[in-house]
Amino acid sequence: MLPTLPSTMPSKEKLAWLLALGAILFFHFYRLHLYTLNFPNWGDDYAFLELIDYVKNHNLTENISYIFHFHNQIHRIAYARLWVVIQYAIGGELNFKTAIFLANLQLILLLIPFHLFLQKIKRSPWHLIGIACLLFSPLGNLDNYNLIGVLQHTGSILFLVWISYGLFYAENSFWVLFLALCYPFVSTEGLAFLPMVTYVWWTKNSKLKIVFSLLAITVIVFYFHDYVGTSSSKGSFSWLHLKGLLIFLGNWALPISDSFRAWINLLAGTLVLLYFTWKIIGSISIKLSFPALLFLQVLATGVLICLGRASMGDLELITLSDRFLLYGHITLLAVYGNLLINKNFTFRLAWGLLLSGAWMLASFFMARRPLQEITLRWKSDLLGAYFFQNASSYNCPEETIQLLTKSYFSFNPLEIPKKLPAFQEKNNIQILPFRQEFKDGQLALSWKNLPEKKSQTDQRFIVIKELQAHKTIFKIAALANDYPNRIKFSQATLGGNSSSTNVEIYLLNLSKEKITRAQYVCSLTLNN
């Protein structure tokens, strides 16, 4: 980007600009290196192991068909699958830590259209530092610590930003048409963007408008030609959906209160919705811009999520999920960009840098504990799969766990202790949970009086020793909220259909030096 900086900018200022941007990038990728593991972060990440297993055993035609087939009934994540297949073809294995790191390079590619945008509107390149602070804010990037998230959701944002920029500043470019037609195969919300692209090109009387309209219809027909899934929407749009949508749009808000987080998001989402409604249709005629189009697509994505997931559980919790935080932060970038093109308001550079820098700093502190909890759960699944060939965060079939033994995946010995304790020593002192719930194979335990850990760098887990008639099964689950004077809790998927289960609970401590020790906690009889 250095050659594209203004020629009038002094060399020392160019160097300072590069150092500032480089510091933001280094901070993000260093944290990725620090917290990521070479292991599937969520159940969806196992799909990439299944992908490699399939590709190795089928021909080209079958592989192309598999790359485009549905994921979770509705998503065609061909972009993510191609990314993984190419990495495997180059490296000979699927290393999740490396894959996540490389996929995060998409964030750097996201900065390029914003940099070009600043040049087009003749604003200071220093505004890109403010934009980078918002884009790389730690809280907004929690989803980028798992492979499916960074490839599908960040990939979606990458296509959105480049297409939106091209529609307004690279009119009639065939690369814009190509990216727009590929967008639905990055993430489903790309389908919602096709009508927006069509509208912009028709209003601009682009020479590509007819060609794109016909090709867009072709893409939609192809997308749904073999769709057999069932709708999960709860009928027409209601207050439940509207509330969920506003919470989704407010995912840029800092979670300053756990108790009122949903309402804080709802207020933040309402404010940004009113702002862009005023900017787009405030003067009767519709006024679209590069930043406004970013917001409209995030809005459309929120509508799809609220309609499609309303029957999957608590919609508030779904829209507050870490996987959607980056979408909320894109609304912040849209607001920032819109302030820059507002002719009736001078958005001073000093204010932009001050506010965005303060936001990134606050986001860092807000993201510390969520990131620690994510890594702890991730580590518990890694230990469970390595030592006991199972997972406790979700139901994982045995054939899926067996994919971890294939030649295209190998555990990183630096991430795993050499051995675990025997989990056999019992004593008469029991630390019983003050709350326990066991339903449909899901176990939830909470303690008020567990001993505190001796070092803040230690990681602690609950080991559940399930005593069955002919065998003993071990499950490892993260000990969440493991901070001084806090109620600590743990959740695990035990599975099984028996109405009563006897278990022994142990506390496993893993030090920074990978030294393990175990403490007997209690014995319980669980009634399903």
Side-chain angles (χ1 to χ4, degrees):
M1 292 186 189
L2 183 59
T4 65
L5 291 173
S7 57
T8 56
M9 180 184 283
S11 297
K12 289 184 178 180
E13 187 179 351
K14 289 181 180 179
L15 179 61
W17 184 89
L18 283 173
L19 289 175
L21 185 59
I24 295 172
L25 299 181
F26 175 81
F27 176 69
H28 174 75
F29 285 96
Y30 173 73
R31 285 166 64 82
L32 278 174
H33 169 73
L34 201 62
Y35 288 103
T36 53
L37 299 171
N38 178 30
F39 191 75
N41 194 343
W42 280 113
D44 282 345
D45 281 359
Y46 278 98
F48 294 118
L49 290 174
E50 295 171 351
L51 168 67
I52 300 301
D53 195 60
Y54 186 94
V55 167
K56 285 172 60 66
N57 296 290
H58 293 80
N59 60 41
L60 179 62
T61 302
E62 292 171 326
N63 288 336
I64 293 175
S65 177
Y66 187 86
I67 284 171
F68 281 89
H69 89 279
F70 283 112
H71 170 75
N72 285 349
Q73 296 187 325
I74 187 62
H75 304 298
R76 292 191 188 269
I77 53 171
Y79 173 76
R81 288 172 175 151
L82 279 172
W83 186 293
V84 170
V85 168
I86 291 172
Q87 182 190 327
Y88 168 73
I90 295 173
E93 66 173 1
L94 177 55
N95 184 298
F96 283 89
K97 188 181 182 80
T98 302
I100 292 169
F101 195 91
L102 292 175
N104 270 267
L105 294 175
Q106 295 175 109
L107 292 169
I108 299 177
L109 298 180
L110 265 168
L111 288 175
I112 298 175
F114 281 110
H115 185 56
L116 297 174
F117 166 67
L118 292 173
Q119 291 181 320
K120 293 289 185 180
I121 63 175
K122 295 180 171 56
R123 299 303 294 263
S124 171
W126 280 97
H127 277 294
L128 190 69
I129 305 302
I131 290 171
C133 284
L134 298 178
L135 180 62
F136 286 89
S137 60
L139 189 67
N141 280 274
L142 291 180
D143 187 42
N144 287 334
Y145 286 80
N146 65 82
L147 188 55
I148 187 70
V150 69
L151 286 177
Q152 182 181 354
H153 300 140
T154 304
S156 171
I157 299 300
L158 177 66
F159 273 69
L160 165 63
V161 173
W162 272 100
I163 297 166
S164 299
Y165 170 81
L167 287 173
F168 289 94
Y169 300 105
E171 191 176 348
N172 297 324
S173 296
F174 280 95
W175 65 263
V176 180
L177 179 145
F178 176 74
L179 291 181
L181 295 175
C182 291
Y183 189 8
F185 304 102
V186 180
S187 192
T188 310
E189 62 263 23
L191 292 171
F193 202 53
L194 294 179
M196 297 187 204
V197 176
T198 304
Y199 174 83
V200 172
W201 264 337
W202 277 87
T203 55
K204 288 178 171 289
N205 198 27
S206 169
K207 66 180 182 181
L208 298 176
K209 62 183 181 181
I210 296 178
V211 174
F212 179 79
S213 299
L214 294 175
L215 290 175
I217 293 173
T218 303
V219 166
I220 294 172
V221 171
F222 170 78
Y223 195 97
F224 289 106
H225 79 278
D226 59 347
Y227 177 68
V228 294
T230 57
S231 174
S232 58
S233 174
K234 286 186 175 179
S236 60
F237 203 80
S238 65
W239 163 243
L240 172 70
H241 299 98
L242 177 60
K243 184 179 179 182
L245 175 60
L246 293 174
I247 291 172
F248 176 83
L249 292 176
N251 267 329
W252 56 271
L254 296 174
I256 56 178
S257 169
D258 291 337
S259 302
F260 297 98
R261 184 180 177 187
W263 289 102
I264 293 172
N265 271 40
L266 189 146
L267 176 60
T270 301
L271 291 175
V272 76
L273 178 62
L274 292 175
Y275 173 77
F276 274 104
T277 301
W278 170 51
K279 285 297 178 182
I280 295 172
I281 60 176
S283 59
I284 307 302
S285 60
I286 296 177
K287 292 183 178 180
L288 285 181
S289 63
F290 168 49
L293 203 57
L294 299 182
F295 168 76
L296 287 176
Q297 176 60 2
V298 173
L299 177 67
T301 303
V303 171
L304 292 177
I305 289 169
C306 291
L307 288 175
R309 296 175 180 256
S311 64
M312 296 182 180
D314 189 332
L315 193 56
E316 284 188 16
L317 295 179
I318 291 173
T319 52
L320 286 169
S321 172
D322 294 343
R323 68 180 60 190
F324 300 134
L325 291 177
L326 185 60
Y327 289 95
H329 282 66
I330 293 302
T331 63
L332 269 187
L333 293 178
V335 171
Y336 194 109
N338 202 75
L339 290 173
L340 291 175
I341 62 174
N342 191 341
K343 297 179 180 179
N344 300 319
F345 172 76
T346 302
F347 186 47
R348 296 185 180 277
L349 174 62
W351 279 109
L353 295 180
L354 178 63
L355 292 175
S356 59
W359 190 273
M360 186 177 192
L361 184 62
S363 178
F364 166 74
F365 287 105
M366 291 291 181
R368 290 175 66 188
R369 287 191 174 180
L371 189 53
Q372 289 171 359
E373 299 288 350
I374 289 172
T375 306
L376 191 67
R377 178 200 51 77
W378 199 352
K379 192 60 168 283
S380 71
D381 288 334
L382 168 60
L383 296 178
Y386 184 80
F387 288 104
F388 304 123
Q389 292 74 55
N390 60 42
S392 63
S393 295
Y394 37 79
N395 283 313
C396 201
E398 184 178 346
E399 56 269 23
T400 301
I401 290 291
Q402 288 302 311
L403 293 172
L404 298 172
T405 65
K406 301 287 186 175
S407 60
Y408 45 78
F409 176 81
S410 58
F411 290 94
N412 182 354
L414 298 178
E415 298 173 348
I416 304 168
K418 292 183 178 180
K419 64 178 182 178
L420 295 182
F423 304 113
Q424 292 179 346
E425 297 183 8
K426 296 174 59 177
N427 54 52
N428 295 325
I429 301 176
Q430 296 199 81
I431 308 174
L432 294 172
F434 79 94
R435 182 185 297 126
Q436 69 181 66
E437 182 179 350
F438 184 53
K439 185 178 181 181
D440 299 328
Q442 303 293 320
L443 175 63
L445 301 170
S446 301
W447 283 273
K448 290 181 178 179
N449 54 346
L450 277 180
E452 304 293 351
K453 56 185 178 183
K454 296 180 179 180
S455 172
Q456 291 301 312
T457 60
D458 288 353
Q459 293 179 311
R460 299 204 298 177
F461 310 88
I462 292 297
V463 177
I464 303 164
K465 184 178 181 181
E466 189 176 355
L467 307 173
Q468 296 186 357
H470 303 291
K471 62 180 179 178
T472 300
I473 298 176
F474 291 89
K475 289 289 184 79
I476 299 180
L479 182 62
N481 206 36
D482 191 13
Y483 307 105
N485 304 316
R486 294 292 188 95
I487 293 176
K488 301 165 178 56
F489 59 89
S490 187
Q491 295 178 319
T493 300
L494 299 188
N497 300 315
S498 59
S499 59
S500 180
T501 303
N502 295 316
V503 299
E504 294 174 3
I505 308 295
Y506 293 84
L507 182 62
L508 173 65
N509 190 94
L510 176 63
S511 70
K512 188 177 181 180
E513 295 76 22
K514 299 294 183 293
I515 299 173
T516 61
R517 64 177 186 273
Q519 175 184 343
Y520 171 73
V521 177
C522 64
S523 296
L524 300 172
T525 298
L526 307 175
N527 297 311
N528 203 350

